[in-house]
């Protein structure tokens, strides 16, 4: 934003690679945040735009990180049996414990969780899943209570 008169919204503010399909959603979120700030600051544009930038910057950065991450996932992992097993484990966790585990893609696509929060939680979940997937017998024990308890113990 500049001089309390002009702010970039939508794709103009979130130039990113197109690998997460969130361009329109990010634009709608910009409009929602801007509207809420207009109400909060009684259309004091200097205050509105200042807080808008502070609020949206971290989410704009996060959508870029998410988009690049998704590109690498699509390029390198979608056909990998271990990746598919990981997604099966994550789906089971979400079905049983939706308040404790929501996969990154679901956070971004099917919730109102801010991009920056989803990215942060997704990174933590990825670290947990790396530990679990490194088990030599994971193919045999993935559906066990042992694995479920271990994952739940690692969620903070």
């Amino acid at each position: 934003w500049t001089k309390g008169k002009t702010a970039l919204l939508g794709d103009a503010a979130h130039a990113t690679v197109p690998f997460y399909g969130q361009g329109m959603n990010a634009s709608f979120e910009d409009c929602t945040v801007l509207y809420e700030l207009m109400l909060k600051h009684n259309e004091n544009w200097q205050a509105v735009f200042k807080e808008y930038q502070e609020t949206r910057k971290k989410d704009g950065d996060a959508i870029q990180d998410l988009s690049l991450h998704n590109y690498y996932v699509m390029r390198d992992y979608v056909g990998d049996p271990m990746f598919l097993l990981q997604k099966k484990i994550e789906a089971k966790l979400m079905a049983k414990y939706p308040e404790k585990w929501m996969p990154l893609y679901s956070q971004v696509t099917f919730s109102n969780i801010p991009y920056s929060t989803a990215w942060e939680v997704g990174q933590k979940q990825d670290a947990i899943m790396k530990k679990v997937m490194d088990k030599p017998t994971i193919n045999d024990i993935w559906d066990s209570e042992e694995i479920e308890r271990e994952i739940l113990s690692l969620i903070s």
Side-chain angles (χ1 to χ4, degrees):
W1 67 277
T2 183
K3 299 179 184 174
K5 295 181 181 189
T6 305
L8 295 177
L9 299 168
D11 286 352
H14 304 291
T16 187
V17 295
F19 300 114
Y20 222 91
Q22 287 295 304
M24 186 170 27
N25 188 54
S27 300
F28 289 147
E29 286 184 15
D30 285 346
C31 293
T32 300
V33 169
L34 190 62
Y35 176 72
E36 290 168 355
L37 293 173
M38 287 167 56
L39 295 176
K40 177 181 175 182
H41 294 291
N42 197 28
E43 297 186 29
N44 173 338
W45 294 105
Q46 193 78 17
V48 169
F49 289 158
K50 182 179 186 302
E51 190 170 345
Y52 168 78
Q53 164 142 2
E54 292 166 359
T55 302
R56 293 304 286 163
K57 171 76 167 98
K58 63 185 176 192
D59 291 318
D61 291 347
I63 194 60
Q64 175 69 2
D65 292 335
L66 287 159
S67 295
L68 288 171
H69 171 74
N70 200 52
Y71 167 73
Y72 294 124
V73 166
M74 291 187 314
R75 183 188 74 184
D76 298 336
Y77 299 111
V78 293
D80 181 327
M82 293 305 285
F83 176 80
L84 298 174
L85 177 59
Q86 177 179 330
K87 294 302 159 195
K88 191 183 283 190
I89 295 168
E90 290 181 14
K92 178 186 171 196
L93 283 169
M94 184 174 167
K96 280 185 89 171
Y97 307 100
E99 73 288 350
K100 294 184 179 193
W101 191 280
M102 181 184 287
L104 179 59
Y105 186 81
S106 296
Q107 290 180 60
V108 172
T109 307
F110 305 115
S111 81
N112 290 324
I113 296 170
Y115 295 125
S116 56
T117 302
W119 179 241
E120 184 179 311
V121 170
Q123 296 288 69
K124 289 176 184 173
Q125 289 178 340
D126 193 50
I128 290 169
M129 291 307 297
K130 279 188 168 111
K131 283 183 181 179
V132 170
M133 297 306 292
D134 279 346
K135 295 186 175 306
T137 58
I138 191 62
N139 282 306
D140 301 321
I141 62 172
W142 74 268
D143 198 20
S144 67
E145 285 187 30
E146 169 194 349
I147 292 299
E148 188 176 306
R149 279 192 309 271
E150 180 178 346
I151 293 170
L152 292 174
S153 74
L154 294 170
I155 297 171
S156 46

